[in-house]
Amino acid sequence: MTLRAAVLGHPISHSKSPALHRAAYAHLGLDIAYSAIDVTESALPDFMRQVRDEARADGSWRGLSVTMPLKSAMVAEVDEVRGVGRALGVVNTVAFEPDAGGADQTQLVAYNTDVAGIVNALRHAGAAPAPTAVILGGGGTAAAAIAALKELGAAAADVFVRDPSRAGEARAASAALAVPIQVLPLAGAAAAAAAADVVISTLPPRAADTLARELADALAAKLTGSPGVLLDVAYDPWPSRIAAVWQEAAGTVVPGLEMLIYQAVEQVRHFTGLGEGLPAGVIDVMCDAVGAPRRVF
């Protein structure tokens, strides 16, 4: 029987997750078909009821990758949330696992692998330990960024948003993880970003374009040293304007594709049940699938 997995979101046609996952399963010799399914937040409950019924009827479902705008809404559609996703109230991964209580039923268990994706991408880029940090955006991925910064040793973060009244997920993450944040208007982000060790942009594609012009001026006015590390989670189109400005100023740029690869590796661990037994070579074929350079993992 062919097993099933998919990435859910809206819009979803741009997603590179199918290429990453298909390469991994082919390398592992596993018959898991991975697709992209467009699901809106309002349609999610009905979709998940159907998936749950199918999973318990024939056991064919192995996992779901979850992207915007579903990362918070998915919490209500699963049986259990584990790890940091429980504290954040934001998940990007659903694994179909046997009931730990012994019942002969499949359980839907959610995780947040975005945190590991951000941490590994920044470490691979040489981010400073205990960095000063700026986050652009205040939604679900920003919540994961706060958790990642805590793991990297950051004492606090400034969070710049387009609408401060809509930074609930970032504020909740700050409270749950005891990482102090300041929520500030995006219009004032340029100077703070230019001075930070790490900047994580969680904004949608092109949403930081106006900021990029202000950032170019702030970086030009920087008196000492090169900029730190910028991770822009958007990867289409690439390079983004903010990434191009950062690179022109001799800063280190981490494309969102890096984060996507690292978080997808963690998803493959869950979907296959291999966990820490996942062969190291899997990340190489995943990198090949999306044109990213191979790396030691």
Side-chain angles (χ1 to χ4, degrees):
M1 175 178 65
T2 297
L3 302 175
R4 303 164 69 187
V7 58
L8 312 181
H10 177 75
I12 202 62
S13 60
H14 67 286
S15 177
K16 294 187 183 296
S17 291
L20 290 168
H21 281 261
R22 290 168 186 168
Y25 305 135
H27 180 76
L28 293 167
L30 299 175
D31 188 11
I32 301 178
Y34 188 101
S35 59
I37 304 176
D38 195 299
V39 180
T40 63
E41 189 170 353
S42 63
L44 183 63
D46 286 342
F47 177 84
M48 290 304 295
R49 275 192 289 273
Q50 178 183 341
V51 166
R52 185 185 294 270
D53 290 344
E54 293 170 351
R56 291 180 172 173
D58 61 18
S60 61
W61 279 98
R62 296 308 303 267
L64 298 171
S65 308
V66 183
T67 188
M68 299 304 292
L70 308 177
K71 293 183 178 183
S72 296
M74 184 59 82
V75 171
E77 306 300 330
V78 299
D79 299 306
E80 183 180 355
V81 180
R82 293 182 189 160
V84 70
R86 184 186 307 168
L88 296 178
V90 177
V91 299
N92 73 319
T93 303
V94 178
F96 295 75
E97 302 180 4
D99 186 352
D104 188 22
Q105 276 196 327
T106 298
Q107 297 295 295
L108 278 63
V109 182
Y111 302 87
N112 189 310
T113 69
D114 280 340
V115 176
I118 294 170
V119 168
N120 288 329
L122 288 173
R123 282 180 174 160
H124 181 68
T132 57
V134 163
I135 299 171
L136 307 179
T141 306
I146 291 169
L149 288 169
K150 180 177 182 178
E151 190 168 334
L152 291 168
D158 289 337
V159 178
F160 291 88
V161 296
R162 291 173 290 180
D163 181 354
S165 70
R166 300 182 64 185
E169 289 163 314
R171 295 181 197 275
S174 168
L177 299 172
V179 177
I181 64 171
Q182 289 190 89
V183 177
L184 302 162
L186 187 62
D197 295 326
V198 168
V199 178
I200 303 173
S201 175
T202 69
L203 296 170
R206 304 192 185 281
D209 285 1
T210 299
L211 174 62
R213 292 191 287 271
E214 299 168 7
L215 183 59
D217 293 338
L219 291 170
K222 187 177 173 68
L223 297 178
T224 59
S226 299
V229 178
L230 167 70
L231 167 60
D232 187 350
V233 304
Y235 57 83
D236 185 17
W238 189 261
S240 62
R241 289 189 184 176
I242 191 173
V245 163
W246 200 266
Q247 194 162 32
E248 286 169 7
T252 300
V253 173
V254 184
L257 191 57
E258 292 284 309
M259 171 192 166
L260 186 70
I261 290 167
Y262 282 117
Q263 65 83 29
V265 170
E266 300 305 312
Q267 291 181 335
V268 171
R269 295 186 195 278
H270 289 298
F271 296 174
T272 62
L274 291 172
E276 294 304 313
L278 189 71
V282 169
I283 195 170
D284 288 336
V285 298
M286 294 173 77
C287 289
D288 293 346
V290 293
R294 292 186 173 191
R295 77 287 318 277
V296 177
F297 182 67

